[in-house]
Amino acid sequence: MFNAELIEGLCNLKTPFYYYDTNLLHQTLVSIKKAADLYNYHTHYAIKANANEKILRIISSYGIGADCVSGHEIKRAVNCGFKKSQIVYAGVGKTDDEIIYALSQNIFCINCESLQEMEIVNNLAFKVGKKQRVALRINPNIEANTHVNISTGTKSTKFGLSSNELDFIISNKDNFSSLLIEGIHFHIGSQITELTVFAHLCAKVNLINTRILESGFKIKHINFGGGLGINYEIPEYQIPDFRKYFAIFNKNFVQRTTQSVHFEPGRSITGQCGMLLTRVLFVKTNENTKTVILDAGLTELLRPALYQANHKIVNLTSKGINELYDIAGPICETTDYFGRSIKLPETQRGDLIAIFSTGAYGEVMASSYNLRSLAEKYFSDEILTKVHTLI
Ligand code: LLP
């Protein structure tokens, strides 16, 4: 992933910056496409994971659809080559302006997450004289066995229609005359590594699907959301096992011949292709602990502070003897750490550090807190020419 020539080139760039391995992204896309095609499954990349335009253009070139959660994401998806007919629009809080915009775009469907949202989309669709395709995002009340802050499938969370709301919709379908209720949608959480969770989801969806079909709805598509986890411990060249993942749905979900099956992978597509490159500003000793202060912090990568996430950290420029370090950022926040007691070769001011698996929920969650500038980004297929022009 990082050879000597590349490291030398990267050392000439101003840190911190994101570095994307576009080869790995292509390989991941080939792999997911092949695995999904085995069962004729449809995938919609979750733009929220990484909305970088170059990354999006690469993803859309594989004919994959998009999962958007704001009007701006829909716009970005369309500009970056995703087909409108393959765009789903989800999100628990859509503004009227966003709904009106989505109505005008003729996208695949709007996923509704509450009764009130259904009423508003119905009214706005009526006003513009349109019958809008929608899917019901249903909260299946399932544990995803992942970090609590990225669990979305239990009834204590704000996501999806509750069973009471679903009952109401089933008994009052005539209230929604401007909606074509054609899909059901689920998303129970992110970074799910216990694949049996998806089998449980299928069991629940089978019951819900049967119930809704029996109530007279013509449900044409089932969307299982995203959530497939990646390997943060050994990230190098790890492409998620998409075959195994889709096989679970093929085995456990009872698909009717009139129904298509959809997924919204985010992290599993872009997670491993991104790295955050940062330099050591200082090495200080507090009590008995050596602390490395980097020039990247939670403003560039929020995941460790928000979800206690561990990303692999590598010193690219030292060949010294291993020592233990706490790795911190420069931000005035006590949680601004990337790791504690991390083994690194003897580390000094100026060393170049790579933080792995930051292609998903990295760059998109950056902020300018402390009035910091947003980090630059470089791509493996452009980097050497860029480096030459910089030298
Ligand atoms: N579909 C829906 C409705 C979602 O809410 C999400 C993610 C996805 C698909 C994509 O999930 P993925 O395949 O990426 O797991 N910032 C957090 C993750 C938040 C996920 C939000 N929803 C993190 O850094 O771990």
Side-chain angles (χ1 to χ4, degrees):
M1 196 167 257
F2 290 109
N3 59 30
E5 189 195 9
L6 177 59
I7 293 174
E8 203 188 316
L10 295 174
C11 279
N12 292 305
L13 301 172
K14 186 174 176 302
T15 50
F17 60 88
Y18 273 96
Y19 170 73
Y20 293 108
D21 184 330
T22 49
N23 254 338
L24 183 57
L25 178 60
H26 281 288
Q27 286 168 27
T28 309
L29 288 162
V30 167
S31 168
I32 191 169
K33 191 88 179 93
K34 270 194 189 158
D37 284 351
L38 274 180
Y39 308 112
N40 263 326
Y41 287 168
H42 302 259
T43 48
H44 306 259
Y45 168 66
I47 303 263
K48 65 173 85 63
N50 188 318
N52 182 294
E53 295 191 14
K54 172 154 175 160
I55 300 274
L56 292 185
R57 288 210 173 86
I58 293 176
I59 296 173
S60 70
S61 73
Y62 283 78
I64 284 171
D67 156 38
C68 302
V69 287
S70 69
H72 287 300
E73 282 195 358
I74 299 177
K75 247 178 231 163
R76 173 81 55 100
V78 173
N79 286 341
C80 291
F82 288 92
K83 286 203 189 97
K84 290 185 177 179
S85 60
Q86 292 182 303
I87 293 179
V88 300
Y89 176 31
V92 71
K94 305 172 181 81
T95 65
D96 288 16
D97 283 350
E98 287 179 312
I99 295 168
I100 291 165
Y101 176 67
L103 287 167
S104 75
Q105 292 299 299
N106 211 12
I107 58 176
F108 178 60
C109 77
I110 298 181
N111 297 348
C112 292
E113 300 216 20
S114 64
L115 190 54
Q116 199 162 36
E117 181 187 341
M118 300 261 304
E119 287 161 1
I120 298 298
V121 176
N122 185 56
N123 292 346
L124 292 172
F126 179 76
K127 266 195 198 149
V128 298
K130 195 175 171 179
K131 291 252 185 205
Q132 175 62 44
R133 283 182 299 271
V134 299
L136 306 175
R137 175 168 178 184
I138 298 167
N139 185 319
N141 197 24
I142 288 208
E143 281 291 351
N145 293 349
T146 182
H147 193 284
V148 62
N149 293 3
I150 47 175
S151 294
T152 52
T154 58
K155 57 183 176 188
S156 60
T157 68
K158 65 181 175 182
F159 300 101
L161 293 156
S162 66
S163 54
N164 287 346
E165 287 181 307
L166 185 58
D167 289 345
F168 181 89
I169 292 162
I170 287 176
S171 6
N172 295 277
K173 34 178 189 317
D174 298 341
N175 287 9
F176 307 104
S177 55
S178 295
L179 303 184
L180 301 167
I181 302 176
E182 293 187 347
I184 50 176
H185 173 225
F186 305 84
H187 172 76
I188 58 170
S190 200
Q191 184 53 18
I192 297 171
T193 49
E194 273 176 41
L195 294 186
T196 47
V197 163
F198 294 115
H200 295 153
L201 174 62
C202 288
K204 232 351 178 343
V205 172
N206 287 336
L207 298 175
I208 297 172
N209 192 21
T210 303
R211 175 164 177 235
I212 298 190
L213 287 171
E214 282 172 358
S215 323
F217 287 90
K218 297 213 164 27
I219 297 300
K220 298 185 185 164
H221 54 95
I222 316 292
N223 182 339
F224 285 99
L228 178 62
I230 60 170
N231 190 338
Y232 281 96
E233 278 163 35
I234 314 168
E236 294 91 339
Y237 287 105
Q238 291 278 349
I239 294 176
D241 195 341
F242 294 115
R243 269 181 180 246
K244 204 165 161 190
Y245 172 67
F246 289 129
I248 289 175
F249 292 88
N250 182 250
K251 183 167 169 224
N252 294 284
F253 172 58
V254 182
Q255 183 180 355
R256 312 301 204 272
T257 48
T258 50
Q259 295 183 323
S260 58
V261 175
H262 299 246
F263 295 88
E264 300 167 341
R267 188 191 315 264
S268 53
I269 292 184
T270 49
Q272 300 294 30
C273 75
M275 275 138 273
L276 177 60
L277 275 292
T278 163
R279 258 195 197 86
V280 176
L281 290 176
F282 306 111
V283 181
K284 60 187 294 205
T285 308
N286 296 9
E287 302 274 341
N288 292 323
T289 312
K290 281 194 175 170
T291 303
V292 170
I293 310 285
L294 300 174
D295 63 4
L298 59 74
T299 40
E300 284 69 40
L301 181 64
L302 188 55
R303 302 196 68 258
L306 207 52
Y307 320 109
Q308 295 75 51
N310 292 309
H311 288 252
K312 183 168 176 177
I313 300 171
V314 173
N315 186 330
L316 295 177
T317 46
S318 166
K319 291 199 167 58
I321 294 163
N322 280 341
E323 287 187 44
L324 291 181
Y325 296 95
D326 285 356
I327 315 287
I331 309 300
C332 306
E333 291 286 335
T334 312
T335 55
D336 187 30
Y337 275 85
F338 292 117
R340 303 267 189 177
S341 296
I342 304 292
K343 205 185 274 178
L344 289 184
E346 187 186 6
T347 295
Q348 294 174 1
R349 175 172 164 81
D351 282 349
L352 188 65
I353 305 288
I355 304 181
F356 281 71
S357 314
T358 55
Y361 308 110
E363 193 190 324
V364 273
M365 292 178 77
S367 78
S368 51
Y369 181 43
N370 291 187
L371 289 189
R372 286 165 63 80
S373 318
L374 290 178
E376 252 324 318
K377 30 252 151 200
Y378 297 96
F379 299 88
S380 56
D381 58 350
E382 297 171 359
I383 191 94
L384 289 176
T385 27
K386 266 212 179 123
V387 169
H388 280 300
T389 52
L390 281 167
I391 294 171

